[in-house]
Amino acid sequence: MTFVDDCRERSKAVWNAYRHHPWIEALADGTLRPEQFVFFQTDDGAHVAEFNRTIALGIAKAPVGHPWAKAAANVLANMSTVDELGEKQSLIEDLGFPAVMGHDRWSTSPAREGYVNHLVRTGLEGTFPHIAASLYPCSLFTEVIGSRFRGVRIPGPEPYRRWADMYTRRTRTEMCAAHAAVMEDAADAGGRAGRESLFRLYKRSLEHQVRVFDAAWALDGMWPGGGRTRAAEAIGLRPRPAPTGPGAR
């Protein structure tokens, strides 16, 4: 068993919660509502920007000429933040929603900001292999979405198909494989403590990934006090009424 296989086995419950999340299963069976799709895409804006920022930090920390750095540079060159946000904006426009894609963390859901902060903190504080381990679960969209829906007719609006196809691109699959290769090499060289630190970062990213799908599934786009996220605004989600009665604050 490889180290990456061992990580997947040890985190089987959260891996399955990610791979078979109700949001993804609804995409597969034709019951995903456009509002749930648009929420996820709009809430993903800051993640796109900060994922790429973390990749750039990884390039700075990687050994000169390392294959991971080449794959990462290809991601930044061929799928820039602006280009990917433009693709997502096109998806939501074609579904009849306002084009509100942005990339600042102040307008994300609580779940998404948690994921973004985890990645950037790892990028700033962690080693090059730590960065690869933390980014790997997001890159597994190539498996969870790309491979699963390759050549499959997705019921529902045409933008659903276009989005799934984004995760079949060679640049993405090469980046995913590069993350796994770095994790394997670091696990071989890092001893028990080193392997455990890689596993913790990998698992925490998986956990965050499930949380952001939870938010999109439940349309959970509010902050305490009624602050709306960009995703909530995109789908016209209104703040919940303030609680009243003896227990209200």
Side-chain angles (χ1 to χ4, degrees), residues 212-249:
V212 298
F213 273 121
D214 286 346
W217 179 247
L219 303 180
D220 183 7
M222 298 296 178
W223 285 88
R228 288 199 300 169
T229 63
R230 190 179 296 272
E233 292 174 353
I235 63 174
L237 195 64
R238 300 296 178 189
R240 299 184 183 92
T244 59
R249 293 184 178 181

Side-chain angles (χ1 to χ4, degrees), residues 91-210:
L91 296 175
I92 64 175
E93 285 180 342
D94 288 353
L95 286 168
F97 290 81
V100 291
M101 287 303 304
H103 56 79
D104 62 289
R105 70 180 180 90
W106 301 107
S107 60
T108 64
S109 70
R112 183 70 71 169
E113 183 173 340
Y115 197 178
V116 164
N117 288 349
H118 164 66
L119 293 179
V120 176
R121 179 172 182 172
T122 303
L124 291 170
E125 297 180 354
T127 64
F128 158 54
H130 289 160
I131 292 170
S134 70
L135 294 174
Y136 183 50
C138 183
S139 285
L140 284 169
F141 263 50
T142 56
E143 177 180 340
V144 173
I145 301 297
S147 295
R148 176 171 178 177
F149 294 106
R150 186 190 295 270
V152 174
R153 180 186 174 277
I154 299 177
E158 185 270 343
Y160 292 8
R161 168 80 268 160
R162 282 171 30 216
W163 176 70
D165 284 346
M166 289 169 63
Y167 299 100
T168 63
R169 295 172 184 169
R170 182 176 178 180
T171 304
R172 293 187 191 275
T173 57
E174 288 178 346
M175 186 77 264
C176 186
H179 290 321
V182 168
M183 290 173 65
E184 294 294 343
D185 289 345
D188 289 342
R192 185 172 183 177
R195 290 193 294 271
E196 191 62 23
S197 68
L198 292 171
F199 170 72
R200 285 197 300 265
L201 289 166
Y202 163 83
K203 185 181 179 185
R204 182 49 49 89
S205 288
L206 280 181
E207 292 164 341
H208 279 299
Q209 191 68 67
V210 173

Side-chain angles (χ1 to χ4, degrees), residues 44-120:
D44 198 36
H47 187 95
V48 171
E50 301 303 340
F51 183 93
N52 287 347
R53 189 187 310 277
T54 306
I55 283 180
L57 290 168
I59 292 172
K61 293 184 177 185
V64 174
H66 195 284
W68 183 95
K70 179 180 179 180
N74 283 339
V75 168
L76 296 182
N78 298 322
M79 297 185 302
S80 72
T81 299
V82 172
D83 289 344
E84 188 167 354
L85 292 181
E87 285 191 90
K88 287 179 175 289
Q89 181 169 312
S90 175
L91 296 175
I92 64 175
E93 285 180 342
D94 288 353
L95 286 168
F97 290 81
V100 291
M101 287 303 304
H103 56 79
D104 62 289
R105 70 180 180 90
W106 301 107
S107 60
T108 64
S109 70
R112 183 70 71 169
E113 183 173 340
Y115 197 178
V116 164
N117 288 349
H118 164 66
L119 293 179
V120 176

Side-chain angles (χ1 to χ4, degrees), residues 10-22:
R10 289 179 62 192
S11 56
K12 183 184 296 185
V14 67
W15 166 245
N16 286 332
Y18 170 23
R19 185 175 54 160
H20 296 297
H21 194 279

